[in-house]
Amino acid sequence: MNFGHITWLDDNGYIKPPPMLYLILVFIARGWCVFAASLTQASDRAALVALFYPHKSDFLMALAAGFGALLVYGVIIAERKRKLTWLIPVFSRLKWLLLLLLAIDGGLLLQRLMHNQFLFTWSFGLDALFLFWSLLYLWQSKRLHHYLRDWKVE
């Protein structure tokens, strides 16, 4: 059998993280991405944050919810290095943690909608669409399922 067409294995034979997993983490941590982008703007840092998050409380809640995504990213880095074996139980339950983070993000979307008196904007629509796609991906992805079962005690 020729397995040369399988591109989701690394050089050591371990399953690489799916690119959609990284996109989901960036989506959840988009408050941190806006914060990092605002640090690069020297003239008016608050204007860039206010463009995406008009209410300060929405921005602070996005930072708090995005902190979980940063922790998940740290667990993924530990899996790639295969050093911190005490994180294996956390890694095996990563799907449930991502589901919790997406539920929190859905709650934050609902809060932002309430602050906007439930008026439709494209940013809310795109957030809801990507939230739905992310939930479908967590539910249906075979590659993510195999990836989360790849790191075991050797």
Side-chain angles (χ1 to χ4, degrees):
M1 256 183 185
N2 183 8
F3 292 107
H5 64 284
I6 297 177
T7 59
W8 41 274
L9 295 177
D10 64 5
D11 295 337
N12 297 325
Y14 300 123
I15 298 174
K16 292 190 271 186
M20 185 66 181
L21 179 61
Y22 289 126
L23 284 175
I24 291 172
L25 290 177
V26 168
F27 172 71
I28 296 171
R30 65 189 177 278
W32 285 97
C33 296
V34 169
F35 175 70
S38 72
L39 292 178
T40 62
Q41 189 176 9
S43 62
D44 191 13
R45 294 186 174 134
L48 183 64
V49 172
L51 179 67
F52 291 101
Y53 297 100
H55 298 278
K56 184 179 179 180
S57 64
D58 292 343
F59 176 63
L60 294 176
M61 292 301 288
L63 287 178
F67 187 71
L70 296 177
L71 292 177
V72 169
Y73 183 68
V75 171
I76 291 172
I77 289 174
E79 183 272 333
R80 297 309 304 154
K81 302 277 185 192
R82 304 275 172 153
K83 297 280 185 192
L84 304 173
T85 57
W86 59 272
L87 284 173
I88 292 174
V90 175
F91 183 76
S92 64
R93 291 172 183 85
L94 213 60
K95 184 184 274 191
W96 295 106
L97 185 59
L98 285 170
L99 188 64
L100 175 69
L101 290 174
L102 287 173
I104 292 170
D105 197 74
L108 292 177
L109 177 63
L110 189 63
Q111 179 189 5
R112 287 181 22 220
L113 277 168
M114 286 190 297
H115 281 160
N116 204 33
Q117 285 84 27
F118 292 98
L119 295 175
F120 178 79
T121 62
W122 283 104
S123 67
F124 293 153
L126 291 176
D127 283 353
L129 182 66
F130 198 80
L131 182 67
F132 177 70
W133 280 342
S134 300
L135 289 171
L136 277 179
Y137 180 77
L138 285 179
W139 185 262
Q140 294 290 327
S141 176
K142 297 277 187 209
R143 181 174 174 184
L144 181 66
H145 175 74
H146 292 305
Y147 170 66
L148 295 177
R149 293 180 162 261
D150 190 42
W151 192 21
K152 296 180 179 148
V153 178
E154 296 175 358

